[in-house]
Amino acid sequence: MVTATVREWSDEEGWGVLDSAETPGGCFGHYSHIQVTGFRTLSPGQQVDLEWEAPGFKQDGYDYRAVTIAPRPA
């Protein structure tokens, strides 16, 4: 896992972009990969622990996509 920062997030669309040194250009994140109970959302600037993959194709324009997103305690 790496630490990432939420660049942008859309609750309406259920996805956003996460930034870390290991995922240059950003990492696509989908709400279904957020590891919390209840409503799954993130906020810009929030820190998360992230597991990612490079699937070999662009996911909504990004070379990386999250497979696990764990929000860090505030």
Side-chain angles (χ1 to χ4, degrees):
M1 282 204 167
V2 299
T3 299
T5 303
V6 179
R7 180 193 315 169
E8 59 185 273
W9 191 264
S10 171
D11 285 336
E12 294 80 26
E13 296 181 19
W15 69 275
V17 182
L18 312 167
D19 290 316
S20 74
E22 291 81 2
T23 58
C27 180
F28 173 87
H30 191 263
Y31 82 95
S32 64
H33 295 115
I34 300 172
Q35 305 297 302
V36 296
T37 56
F39 186 69
R40 298 176 187 176
T41 187
L42 299 171
S43 300
Q46 182 177 2
Q47 297 286 301
V48 297
D49 289 324
L50 172 69
E51 287 184 27
W52 56 272
E53 67 179 2
F57 60 89
K58 290 196 179 286
Q59 177 75 50
D60 288 303
Y62 298 96
D63 290 326
Y64 306 94
R65 74 172 165 211
V67 293
T68 302
I69 305 168
R72 300 188 95 182

